Each structure stands twice: as C-alpha cells, then as structure tokens.
Amino acid sequence: MALGSHLLHDSEYAGLFLWDVVTLDPWGSPFFRLVADHADVFAELPAPLHTALVKEYIAGAARHQLTTGWVDTLSQPWLGASGQPAFYRQIAALRPEHTRPVAERLQEVGCPVAIGWGEQDPWIPVDQAVELQDRLPGSPRVTVLGDVGHLAPVETPSRVSRALSDWLAQSVTCRDRGMDR
C-alpha cells in the first residue's frame, strides 16, 4: 500500500522496506487466483468448510508448521458472518490491473528502499525480489531469509527484526552524514 501511495499519489516517505511485496506479475497463489475468479461461489461455503479452508490457506503460507495459536490468530478476522464474505471480497478486489501501474513506475521511487523475502515463499516466488531490485533505482539491498515462507515476521521474527534494525541503522547513518541513498 505504501509503495502504491508513494508512486501513484505522491506520498512522501523517508524510506520503504518492502517485504514479500505484491507488485510484479504474476502474484498470488493458484488458490488465490481461483478464488478471485469465483469469489461468489466460495462465499457460499458452509462456515465449517470455510474455516478449514482459511486455516489451511494461511498455514500453507509458511515454510514450517505454524502453531495452532498463530493459525487461529491469523484466521480470526476472516471467520464468522462478516469475516467470511470479507475474505473472498478482498481477494476478488485485488487484480493485476491494480498493481501494474505501480510496477510500471518503480524507477520513480524517490526514497531509500530495501527488500526482504522468504526464500521458500509459496505465494510469491523469491525471484521477484531480484526483479524488484533490478527495477528500483539504486539497486536496493535484498535480504532473503533461507528456509522461510511468506510469513517471515511470524516464522522468524528475530531475523526480520534484525534485517529491519540493520536497515534503519544504515538509513540513519546515511542521513546523519547528509548522504542520499
């Protein structure tokens, strides 16, 4: 959202750390694309089937098995009378034609950027991190976390925190020295 806001609506940021960002085609798992094309059918699933589907979908984003607590926490907003239709609506609402204008303007990013990715991301392939690096100005640093899926902040919060802290420390140092990265 922040990247799109920056490029399409002139929002200014001191910097952006893009983690498993949905920008380049193709994005979304095969399941995501199936739901996007048939959201009205999926929205009619009986609640127990929907619950099982959402929990499996979320669990499948990680490289290793998530705890039941994490799966429940991440699933909760998408369950119940309002959560179930919202889950399918938000998938159906996101289309490649929404992200293409952002992808087309990546060279216009006007702030320091870093990229983070889970090497085993089943939803968005890690090769998109390299493509993003090539398309963004200044060839930003890419942090790839091995043996991690799409949910890196949940799967390995200390490694994500370290990557963010290192980037922030470097950004502050550059600004203190009057450098524009």
Side-chain angles (χ1 to χ4, degrees), residues 24-95:
L24 304 174
D25 287 335
W27 49 258
S29 67
F31 171 76
F32 188 98
R33 292 187 295 272
L34 177 69
V35 169
D37 291 340
H38 304 285
D40 54 336
V41 174
F42 281 94
E44 296 298 320
L45 286 174
L49 286 177
H50 167 75
T51 298
L53 185 146
V54 168
K55 288 185 175 192
E56 185 60 31
Y57 177 63
I58 289 171
R63 169 75 171 120
H64 298 283
Q65 185 172 353
L66 298 175
T67 66
T68 302
W70 267 117
V71 172
D72 289 346
T73 296
L74 295 171
S75 301
Q76 191 58 43
W78 307 116
L79 304 179
S82 62
Q84 181 170 340
F87 179 76
Y88 300 111
R89 265 195 323 273
Q90 61 94 21
I91 289 176
L94 185 58
R95 303 299 240 180

Side-chain angles (χ1 to χ4, degrees), residues 55-137:
K55 288 185 175 192
E56 185 60 31
Y57 177 63
I58 289 171
R63 169 75 171 120
H64 298 283
Q65 185 172 353
L66 298 175
T67 66
T68 302
W70 267 117
V71 172
D72 289 346
T73 296
L74 295 171
S75 301
Q76 191 58 43
W78 307 116
L79 304 179
S82 62
Q84 181 170 340
F87 179 76
Y88 300 111
R89 265 195 323 273
Q90 61 94 21
I91 289 176
L94 185 58
R95 303 299 240 180
E97 50 270 18
H98 298 130
T99 57
R100 282 187 193 123
V102 174
E104 290 167 359
R105 295 181 65 181
L106 287 171
Q107 281 297 323
E108 298 174 30
V109 169
C111 63
V113 175
I115 301 165
W117 224 272
E119 185 176 46
Q120 302 298 318
D121 186 332
W123 288 357
I124 307 173
V126 69
D127 61 335
Q128 285 198 11
V130 175
E131 186 176 345
L132 267 174
Q133 181 185 39
D134 291 343
R135 289 180 165 202
L136 288 163

Side-chain angles (χ1 to χ4, degrees), residues 167-180:
W167 179 69
L168 288 169
Q170 183 181 8
S171 295
V172 168
T173 301
C174 288
R175 279 195 294 278
D176 288 346
R177 293 182 185 162
M179 298 170 63
D180 187 20

Side-chain angles (χ1 to χ4, degrees), residues 144-169:
V144 176
L145 300 181
D147 207 31
V148 175
H150 188 74
L151 301 176
V154 172
E155 295 177 71
T156 181
S158 62
R159 290 169 68 194
V160 171
S161 178
R162 185 171 38 251
L164 290 168
S165 294
D166 290 350
W167 179 69
L168 288 169

